[in-house]
Amino acid sequence: MPLTSTRPELAGTFGMVATTHWLASQTGMSVLERGGNAVDAAAAAGFVLQVVEPHLNGPGGDLPVVLWSAADRRAHVVCGQGTAPAAATPEAFAALGLDAVPGTGPLAATVPGAFGAWLRMLQQWGTWPLRDVLGPAIGYARDGAPALPRVAATVARMAPVFEADWPTSAAVWTDGGAPAPWSRVRLTALADTYERVLTEAETAGGDRDAQLAAALDAWYRGFVAEAVEEFCAGTPWRDSSGERHAGLLRGSDLAGWEATVEEPARGSYRGVEVLKTGPWGQGPVMLQQLHLLDGLDLGDLDDGDPEWVHRVTEVSKLAFADREAWYGDPDHADVPLADLLSRAYADERRALVDDARADLALRPGSPGGREPRLARPLPAAAGEGAGVGEPTVAREDAPGGSTATTGDTCHVDVVDRWGTMVSATPSGGWLQSSPVVPGLGFPLGTRAQMFWLEQGLPSSLRPGARPRTTLSPSLALRDGEPWLAFGTPGGDQQDQWSLVLLLRAVHGAERAGAKGWTGLQQALDAPMFHSEHAPSSFYPRGGLPGRLVLEDRFPAAVVTELARRGHDVEVVDGWSLGRTSAVARDGGWLRAGANARGAQGYAVGR
């Protein structure tokens, strides 16, 4: 498909930052300019995102990261996905008469892992003191940040809920009325919380490592954990079930948790190695898609050809069916990841792709001879409520409900002049997820909605387990060297939109050859599509078998041909699917690009 570009192709040698908000990108770049490395820059940008995109992430949320460290020349995954409370048993939910974890409210809270993950990164690979990293976020929270139109719209839609049921959120967001678009929003209670963390950290002395350790103590074993326990154990709050429930999270759950550093899951496509999180996230689903596509020649097809779209969609259905049957926290479930990522398994599954017809069934495979098991669908009456789903993909008929009260995700990519590269996808704890915790100024996340209460599944609710998150940062290597860090918001669609970006990058680089590839921004801008065939990961977990959503910049002939093959095609606004961003090390240059969709992502660098 002929590509045009909304923005210049950024290239340089010093450093590049791309995020879903221009203020976070510029914050990250300012860190690089003042001598910080990519980890320092990513963390500073990530904390700013909590303030400037509060409808998309917050301090009470989660964080997975894939990074390449120039210091040890290795790739790592940092898991900041908090775990289920010790009291979160199936019996506890059955006693409440629930057949699903609500999509909002403290009952769906897991340990808030984002803070621990950012600090674990800083401990192991960063160089800056915590005060310098947190300073920009505190400044925006104290002095004010511009209210994006989507922030203003989200608060206005949530205002009746805040006023009727969540007064602590009303005190932060609607005291004096909902903010107008582009008005100055101050989050002074959040600024106070971070200042108190810094004060307690600096009582440990001048040593940077001691301060980071003391900050973690303040969050997970000190005043933050105490406030979380008091909040969850106290007042019941109305949630998306329509009833009032208190939370199960306790200080001991926070005290017993820490972010972990893990080996990435690995796959490859046409000589490019791709690194993802483990199966506690949906990351390996991209690797499965790539292995399936490696045997379906896309090289001679244009990415706007209906055959190209059809093949990518059909392998996505197979991989996401396996996600439903097999993915979960490998510390608590038997996840056959090696079999799922084997070439023999991909060969077996690839035979199910019919180039003539769209698959309308959910067909998980049998890796290693195991028999798959899918969760029973939730009752159709499982309702909607404030904060359900993901707005990057949600529409009136989409899984997860309408656009009115959904939450979403952010993304950060950074590469520095030394070669360290970071891809991070912070999410959860958004302003519409749960009432604000008094004294802290932020709500808890609701990631436990991704557990099934039905037992015997890899993603069944288990105390201390990680929910199977959709958050999915990505890193790609060529010839053993970091090449591309990339990702997007978008829930279940993250590993479809990111896959399409990667395919365009790989094939574009192949075609460019020795000339060097200069199409990163064009690949980000090109028309996007995704399938909604598989069940949503979000309450109330609905799916739309056969549904294929395309931006209207695809030619009408492509839409007609895909419908002829049996896809349930829906055409949407031409700039509405995904907010991918990326940084690259390519041909001796550092490169970056950010998505024009949503009118807030930006890339900077030199």
Side-chain angles (χ1 to χ4, degrees):
M1 179 179 294
L3 297 179
T4 57
S5 177
T6 61
R7 300 172 184 189
E9 177 81 12
L10 298 187
T13 57
F14 182 81
M16 294 282 164
V17 183
T19 82
T20 48
H21 195 289
W22 69 92
L23 290 176
S25 297
Q26 188 54 49
T27 295
M29 192 65 204
S30 74
V31 173
L32 296 182
E33 294 282 7
R34 290 178 287 157
N37 67 16
V39 169
D40 302 318
F47 284 117
V48 167
L49 285 173
Q50 296 174 359
V51 180
V52 300
E53 291 192 312
H55 60 315
L56 305 180
N57 79 136
D62 325 292
L63 175 67
V65 181
V66 186
L67 67 86
W68 174 274
S69 166
D72 60 18
R73 295 197 50 76
R74 289 183 54 200
H76 308 269
V77 166
V78 180
C79 177
Q81 176 51 64
T83 53
T89 63
E91 294 76 16
F93 283 86
L96 297 172
L98 296 172
D99 52 20
V101 179
T104 63
L107 191 58
T110 56
V111 173
F115 186 81
W118 287 126
L119 265 63
R120 178 66 187 269
M121 288 173 59
L122 290 169
Q123 285 177 315
Q124 192 153 344
W125 300 285
T127 64
W128 269 30
L130 183 59
R131 179 168 290 277
D132 292 341
V133 172
L134 275 172
I138 293 172
Y140 284 121
R142 179 85 61 204
D143 301 329
L148 294 166
R150 293 187 181 189
V151 172
T154 300
V155 174
R157 290 167 180 150
M158 289 297 297
V161 176
F162 291 169
E163 298 298 332
D165 298 311
W166 296 0
T168 57
S169 295
V172 172
W173 290 104
T174 59
D175 185 18
W182 302 114
S183 62
R184 188 184 295 265
V185 172
R186 293 178 172 86
L187 302 176
T188 55
L190 174 59
D192 290 343
T193 293
Y194 277 140
E195 285 283 9
R196 182 173 173 184
V197 168
L198 287 174
T199 298
E200 297 198 12
E202 289 167 353
T203 61
D207 180 74
R208 175 180 174 274
D209 291 339
Q211 289 183 3
L212 289 169
L216 287 168
D217 280 341
W219 195 274
Y220 292 100
R221 288 162 286 279
F223 79 96
V224 173
E226 291 167 1
V228 167
E229 173 158 348
E230 183 177 354
F231 169 77
C232 287
T235 305
W237 301 88
R238 191 176 304 280
D239 56 39
S240 56
S241 72
E243 303 297 328
R244 294 183 179 274
H245 299 109
L248 300 173
L249 194 61
R250 298 292 182 266
S252 56
D253 296 310
L254 277 70
W257 181 89
E258 64 179 7
T260 56
V261 176
E262 306 175 358
E263 285 294 313
R266 298 172 182 264
S268 63
Y269 178 76
R270 298 177 77 93
V272 172
E273 186 176 24
V274 181
L275 311 181
K276 301 290 288 186
T277 72
W280 49 265
Q282 73 175 22
V285 82
M286 179 185 284
L287 309 180
Q288 288 194 248
Q289 291 173 94
L290 291 170
H291 291 173
L292 289 163
L293 288 168
D294 227 358
L296 297 171
D297 188 10
L298 300 180
D300 294 330
L301 295 173
D302 184 271
D303 65 358
D305 189 304
E307 183 70 22
W308 194 93
V309 176
H310 175 80
R311 288 182 179 180
V312 172
T313 300
E314 293 306 292
V315 303
S316 293
K317 292 176 183 177
L318 293 172
F320 275 84
D322 277 342
R323 182 197 72 169
E324 289 303 296
W326 298 111
Y327 288 23
D329 185 347
D331 293 340
H332 291 261
D334 178 18
V335 181
L337 187 61
D339 290 321
L340 288 165
L341 297 182
S342 73
R343 293 292 176 165
Y345 183 69
D347 293 343
E348 174 189 326
R349 296 282 281 161
R350 192 181 303 114
L352 297 176
V353 175
D354 185 342
D355 277 344
R357 297 296 299 170
D359 176 23
L360 300 181
L362 192 65
R363 298 187 291 178
S366 300
R370 301 167 175 84
E371 284 300 312
R373 176 183 164 189
L374 293 169
R376 294 187 296 271
L378 295 175
E384 298 179 9
V388 174
E390 295 255 352
T392 312
V393 295
R395 299 177 310 283
E396 293 298 333
D397 66 338
S402 73
T403 59
T405 53
T406 45
D408 200 10
T409 300
C410 307
H411 189 73
V412 178
D413 298 304
V414 186
V415 60
D416 64 29
R417 62 190 185 274
W418 301 288
T420 292
M421 187 175 278
V422 178
S423 176
T425 310
S427 184
W430 44 68
L431 68 89
Q432 61 273 41
S433 64
S434 190
V436 165
V437 180
L440 298 182
F442 61 83
L444 295 172
T446 55
R447 196 64 60 180
Q449 68 182 282
M450 294 180 169
F451 287 116
W452 290 97
L453 294 184
E454 178 184 346
Q455 292 300 287
L457 304 166
S459 55
S460 295
L461 176 67
R462 299 173 178 88
R466 293 170 284 188
R468 189 203 70 203
T469 179
T470 57
L471 308 177
S472 199
S474 305
L475 189 70
L477 313 180
R478 288 198 307 182
D479 300 322
E481 294 293 327
W483 174 46
L484 197 67
F486 59 106
T488 179
D492 299 280
Q493 277 63 47
Q494 288 181 37
D495 281 299
Q496 297 188 62
W497 296 333
S498 291
L499 171 71
V500 171
L501 171 62
L502 178 65
L503 293 173
R504 287 171 171 155
V506 171
H507 289 279
E510 285 183 353
R511 287 190 292 269
K515 296 184 299 180
W517 181 57
T518 59
L520 180 58
Q521 187 61 50
Q522 291 179 328
L524 291 161
D525 288 338
M528 189 57 77
F529 64 94
H530 70 260
S531 168
E532 293 177 352
H533 179 79
S536 170
S537 297
F538 294 86
Y539 181 94
R541 313 299 289 269
L544 296 169
R547 176 64 58 88
L548 175 60
V549 183
L550 296 96
E551 290 182 332
D552 65 16
R553 290 181 291 142
F554 280 93
V558 172
V559 175
T560 300
E561 174 57 21
L562 290 166
R564 189 193 66 79
R565 297 190 191 199
H567 296 279
D568 176 15
V569 179
E570 179 181 4
V571 178
V572 298
D573 179 82
W575 295 91
S576 61
L577 300 183
R579 290 196 291 139
T580 47
S581 66
V583 297
R585 297 172 74 236
D586 187 73
W589 297 104
L590 305 181
R591 302 185 185 275
N595 210 300
R597 297 165 180 86
Q600 63 194 62
Y602 226 74
V604 292
R606 69 172 178 89

